[in-house]
Amino acid sequence: QLQLVESGGGLVQPGGSLRLSCAASGFRLDYYVIGWFRQAPGKEREGVSCVSASGGSTNYADSVKGRFTISRDNAKNTVYLQMNSLKPEDTAFYYCAAGPRRLWSVCYLTAGYEYWGQGIQVTVSS
């Protein structure tokens, strides 16, 4: 079965950190562009960060630049999203997705991704 599974979410105080993991089973992540997306209640799903198949290039939404870092460990078939200096406005359901290499130039858009995880809640609150 081909699937992505996110982990590492939860409740954290403002200024805190979390590391999300996106583990793949049934296929190799290193063939794919990986994106992290989030969706807050009443809002559209938005791109947070993405990483190229090789891991050599990354992309971040302006709202998370300097605070979030995306990385991949192809040996573990896992992509990570390190989130530091978290703010209440980072509260959302976070999803990872895998798409073909040709998506790289538009990796911050949801269209074109072939596999999606089930999502995980991140809540930033005191």
Side-chain angles (χ1 to χ4, degrees), residues 10-26:
L11 173 64
V12 63
Q13 292 186 343
S17 298
L18 283 174
R19 187 177 80 157
L20 302 183
S21 298
C22 172
S25 61

Side-chain angles (χ1 to χ4, degrees), residues 90-124:
D90 294 317
T91 295
F93 221 68
Y94 283 71
Y95 300 87
C96 65
R101 294 172 186 247
R102 58 178 167 79
L103 270 189
W104 174 244
S105 62
V106 290
C107 67
Y108 47 88
L109 300 178
T110 58
Y113 282 90
E114 297 177 1
Y115 305 104
W116 287 86
Q118 81 287 354
I120 194 163
Q121 179 68 42
V122 171
T123 302
V124 185

